[in-house]
Amino acid sequence: MLEEEKKVREVLAGLLGRNEAEFEPNASLKDDFDVDSTEMVEIVTMMEKAFARPLGEGAEKKIHTVRDIYALVGAGAR
Amino acid sequence: MSRRVVVTGIGFVAPGGIGQGAVWDNIRAGRGAIRRVTRFDPTGYPSALAGEVDGFNPTDFMPMRLARKLDPYTQYAVAASQLALDDGRMDLERVDRERMGVFVGNCFGGWDFTDRELRKLHTQGVKEVSPFQATSWFPAAPQGQISIHFGLRGFSKTVCGERASGHIGIALAARSIASGQCDVSLAGGAEAPITPFTYLACGTEGVLVGPDTPADGAYRPFDAGRRGLVPAEGAAFLLLEELTHALERRAPIYAEVLGFGLSNDACHPALLPPEERHLSVAMRKALEDADVTPDAISYVLADGLATPEGDRQEAAALRKVFGSERRVPVSVPRTMTGHLYGAAGALDAGLAALSIQHGEVPPTVGTRTVDASLDVSLVTETTTPERVDHVMLNGRGSGGLNASLIISRFARA
């Protein structure tokens, strides 16, 4: 696992109170973890902090799966 | 047709205890929980004392994922609701939650969360403000979160009636059940005003004890040397239930909500009217609503503002309603917890129900020399009268709101 992917999972686990292993690349944040629109804003904010770069305007609307976050932070999805 | 409404569960998160048993034990023993503020440094504030909740862990009542999105006052509300449901042995899987409501009294909203986020906004910028700010600060947040957390979809409402919010919330919940709008309701109040901004707002109203007041005996209503109230945080919720519904599930019945009266002085945003006029109106309306005479009232849980004028007017209202012949016993147990503002009436309602169950009148602490000019019969030690049948609860808010509630012994007839 790439270092960036590990970091994404760590951030998600901290925010959503789940185990890092649960965040499979194809896992849906909405369907599998009940993430709502407000939590999605927080996820984007925390990812931007963790990776020290902006994810771009409207990033929260582009995220559906864990893999989408990998793509946005430039971790490369595998 | 009006249906009867009974109290079947009580949940407290208050200074001096979590759970109705812990709070009642401390109250009846006269143990005070007022102390110097520890949530922040109160140096330079108009007051320095508060009632603070100790030993509260939100994750005992909800997942951390939810807890961190909520201001403490909503955490207290969800916790006190859970305690009331547990106390009332309510199995939510076996009740029609479409007919179960939520009524919450609150004055201030969530300023612990807001203080923090405003600081970030002004020092670090827009991007640093929590996205949960929008749903954490407003007065209806506890009602919404309780509804969501327990899946309650019945007739619900948030009441912002200043320090009388809790009284009004319980009364409106009882009326919603009596009128058939729902069968069960979680009704109460929640506050967390011990934050830098809200505590200051309480102080600028001019009703708090001064900054050099010692904690012991600070809040002394009806005392010749009364100096104001002490604010407090916490939540109190009652499980209110239509009588048949409660009997069918064999719920414990503490008491019955029998009457309510509301009036308004309509005089000034913060000051009291020149003379007592409308608190007595609210008290008489409550008696009429309950269909009981003043003689039937066992004792009064007074508003006990503890300002010279506030207590003078409440004493005048007591004389008007009860006459000068009968000196009805009066108590202010919130002298031990501090004044929970929008939750104060709910705490008093729970204490009234417990008082009826235990056959005891909870005491007032702090008051040393009752102001003789007020002619008030203040209960300063826990007493055990022959019976506690009907308890009158008074609440007054800034802006001239007066509320009076009557909680009574449940009788099957």
Side-chain angles (χ1 to χ4, degrees), chain B residues 108-341:
Chain B
F108 300 114
W111 280 89
D112 181 72
F113 204 105
T114 302
D115 257 349
R116 190 172 62 237
E117 298 307 317
L118 275 177
R119 224 170 281 134
K120 286 190 208 164
L121 173 65
H122 292 299
T123 59
Q124 299 170 56
V126 171
K127 288 279 280 181
E128 292 301 313
V129 176
S130 167
F132 304 115
Q133 174 60 42
T135 52
S136 66
W137 75 277
F138 65 119
Q143 177 208 314
Q145 293 294 350
I146 292 166
S147 302
I148 295 164
H149 191 66
F150 298 109
L152 311 181
R153 301 182 187 87
F155 189 80
S156 300
K157 193 162 180 57
T158 295
V159 176
C160 295
E162 232 277 327
R163 288 187 299 268
S165 304
H167 299 78
I168 302 169
I170 285 173
L172 295 185
R175 287 190 172 175
S176 76
I177 295 170
S179 67
Q181 286 169 307
C182 50
D183 298 324
V184 187
S185 191
L186 276 167
E191 294 286 6
I194 317 304
T195 76
F197 181 80
T198 321
Y199 190 77
L200 181 61
C202 294
T204 53
E205 192 191 349
V207 297
L208 304 193
V209 297
D212 300 322
T213 308
D216 184 31
Y219 184 8
R220 48 173 77 177
F222 304 106
D223 191 285
R226 57 195 182 273
R227 295 173 288 199
L229 61 83
V230 175
E233 60 181 359
F237 276 77
L238 306 187
L239 185 62
L240 300 184
E241 202 162 347
E242 191 275 322
L243 176 60
T244 312
H245 193 281
L247 290 173
E248 280 176 359
R249 70 175 190 89
R250 297 182 182 179
I253 296 179
Y254 287 95
E256 181 169 5
V257 182
L258 214 56
F260 177 63
L262 191 63
S263 69
N264 206 315
D265 290 308
C267 64
H268 188 277
L271 300 178
L272 292 166
E275 292 297 327
E276 192 292 315
R277 285 187 65 185
H278 286 89
L279 174 58
S280 55
V281 171
M283 292 160 70
R284 284 181 173 135
K285 282 183 179 176
L287 288 166
E288 189 180 332
D289 192 39
D291 195 22
V292 297
T293 62
D295 285 349
I297 297 295
S298 303
Y299 72 99
V300 176
L301 283 173
D303 179 54
L305 189 60
T307 62
E309 186 58 17
D311 287 359
R312 191 183 68 76
Q313 292 200 8
E314 188 165 19
L318 289 164
R319 278 196 302 278
K320 281 184 190 175
V321 173
F322 292 95
S324 47
E325 297 293 305
R326 182 186 178 214
R327 296 175 77 235
V328 65
V330 170
S331 192
V332 190
R334 70 177 67 136
T335 45
M336 286 168 269
T337 58
H339 199 306
L340 273 75
Y341 280 70

Side-chain angles (χ1 to χ4, degrees), chain A:
Chain A
M1 186 191 297
L2 293 174
E3 190 60 33
E4 289 88 343
E5 291 180 6
K6 185 171 184 327
K7 199 186 281 187
V8 167
R9 289 181 180 218
E10 281 173 4
V11 172
L12 289 173
L15 290 176
L16 303 179
R18 309 290 281 256
N19 294 322
E20 290 177 32
E22 294 180 69
F23 295 100
E24 294 290 333
N26 290 328
S28 162
L29 294 177
K30 185 180 172 199
D31 296 339
D32 296 328
F33 301 106
D34 291 324
V35 171
D36 61 27
S37 59
T38 321
E39 286 179 314
M40 196 63 86
V41 172
E42 190 186 36
I43 287 170
V44 169
T45 305
M46 297 310 288
M47 291 298 169
E48 288 180 335
K49 278 188 182 171
F51 290 93
R53 60 172 173 268
L55 299 191
E57 197 66 31
E60 64 277 6
K61 292 183 181 137
K62 297 175 188 163
I63 297 171
H64 302 285
T65 65
V66 175
R67 191 188 303 275
D68 294 336
I69 305 178
Y70 291 163
L72 281 170
V73 302
R78 294 189 297 177

